[in-house]
Amino acid sequence: MSEPTPLIALLEDDPAQSAWLQQTLTDAGFSCQAFDEGGALLAALRARAPFALLLLDWELPGINGMEVLRWVRANCSDALPAIFVTNRTLESDLVEGLNAGADDYICKPCRPGELLARIGAQVRRHRPPTNPDANFTLGDFTVDMSLRQIRLRDEPIALTPKEFELAALFLRHPWRLFSRDDLSALVWNREVPSASRTLDTHLSNIRKKLSLGPTTGTLLSASYALGYRLELLPSPDQAARP
């Protein structure tokens, strides 16, 4: 079974800013539930909504982001990460936010690449550990870690050892964004120079060998300056729906 797409709670009362943040998050493969006031977010938290991360504006009418954060730290597990995205830029504000239990603090206007990198770091840090040696399936793919074999619709795919490690990493973590440095460390256990074509060659090979594309409901996409992720495509009947 694949991991569910991380659901992020966004607390932001400015409609334009909220729309931009929601688009940025969904384009990066996250799910997002937006709230324009703190009381509604607290109600969702009390109902145990399965949020993977909170993205909080500080200054809102009524219950503000700081009050939400303090409630979360008093009533929820510390495993729920929270990031402030705020116009408050003084060092004293940053210190107050971190001391209140925020995991990170981003000043507006925020750059999308930096925002996604910081969110990704917190989601990875707080993700429950998984057994990297467990066999698993994703769609038409079956990954046998003990045999180091990937099958597509029960047909084995001929892969080199590094191609297998790279393909298994993407298939185990659909939608997760991996930088080139991440892939170098996780697959090669060292830094692969940016001028080297090693990583690019392996990525090209697994695209072809695994038939990544509409026929398998997958897409290995590149995000400029950010990295690579395996996206899951809707089935033809889903894509045809209005």
Side-chain angles (χ1 to χ4, degrees), residues 67-88:
E67 291 172 299
V68 169
L69 177 62
R70 286 176 175 150
W71 185 92
V72 166
R73 290 297 174 249
N75 296 276
C76 300
S77 167
D78 286 339
L80 178 60
I83 299 176
F84 272 122
V85 180
T86 175
N87 287 316
R88 299 179 68 139

Side-chain angles (χ1 to χ4, degrees), residues 29-102:
F30 294 104
S31 296
C32 180
Q33 185 173 351
F35 302 87
D36 59 8
E37 54 96 12
L41 175 53
L42 285 179
L45 289 164
R46 291 189 182 101
R48 301 184 182 276
F51 299 127
L53 180 140
L54 307 179
L55 207 58
L56 306 173
D57 189 12
W58 187 320
E59 297 179 317
L60 296 96
I63 299 174
N64 62 34
M66 178 61 78
E67 291 172 299
V68 169
L69 177 62
R70 286 176 175 150
W71 185 92
V72 166
R73 290 297 174 249
N75 296 276
C76 300
S77 167
D78 286 339
L80 178 60
I83 299 176
F84 272 122
V85 180
T86 175
N87 287 316
R88 299 179 68 139
T89 59
L90 295 178
E91 181 181 5
S92 58
D93 294 327
L94 185 152
V95 171
E96 183 181 356
L98 295 177
N99 285 341

Side-chain angles (χ1 to χ4, degrees), residues 11-48:
L11 179 60
E12 172 60 65
D13 67 330
D14 180 87
Q17 182 74 4
S18 179
W20 180 83
L21 287 166
Q22 290 179 68
Q23 189 65 55
T24 300
L25 293 169
T26 54
D27 285 349
F30 294 104
S31 296
C32 180
Q33 185 173 351
F35 302 87
D36 59 8
E37 54 96 12
L41 175 53
L42 285 179
L45 289 164
R46 291 189 182 101
R48 301 184 182 276

Side-chain angles (χ1 to χ4, degrees), residues 139-242:
D140 292 331
F141 295 100
T142 301
V143 182
D144 190 318
M145 299 299 293
S146 57
L147 296 178
R148 296 182 65 79
Q149 182 185 80
I150 296 176
R151 297 188 298 276
L152 173 58
R153 304 184 189 101
D154 292 328
E155 290 294 325
I157 302 170
L159 298 168
T160 68
K162 292 303 183 188
E163 288 170 357
F164 170 81
E165 291 181 28
L166 192 61
L169 183 65
F170 281 114
L171 290 170
R172 187 182 290 278
H173 302 286
W175 295 109
R176 178 171 165 182
L177 187 68
F178 291 94
S179 69
R180 293 181 70 93
D181 288 343
D182 290 335
L183 297 174
S184 298
L186 292 167
V187 176
W188 280 270
N189 297 314
R190 60 181 174 83
E191 181 179 352
V192 176
S194 58
S196 170
R197 300 298 297 173
T198 299
L199 176 57
D200 302 276
T201 299
H202 280 73
L203 290 169
S204 177
N205 287 347
I206 66 171
R207 278 192 179 100
K208 294 175 184 176
K209 292 184 177 183
L210 272 64
S211 301
L212 299 181
T215 59
T216 57
T218 56
L219 175 67
L220 183 58
S221 68
S223 298
Y224 177 71
L226 294 178
Y228 306 86
R229 68 170 177 260
L230 184 73
E231 301 178 5
L232 304 183
L233 303 175
S235 62
D237 61 322
Q238 290 175 319
R241 293 173 190 169

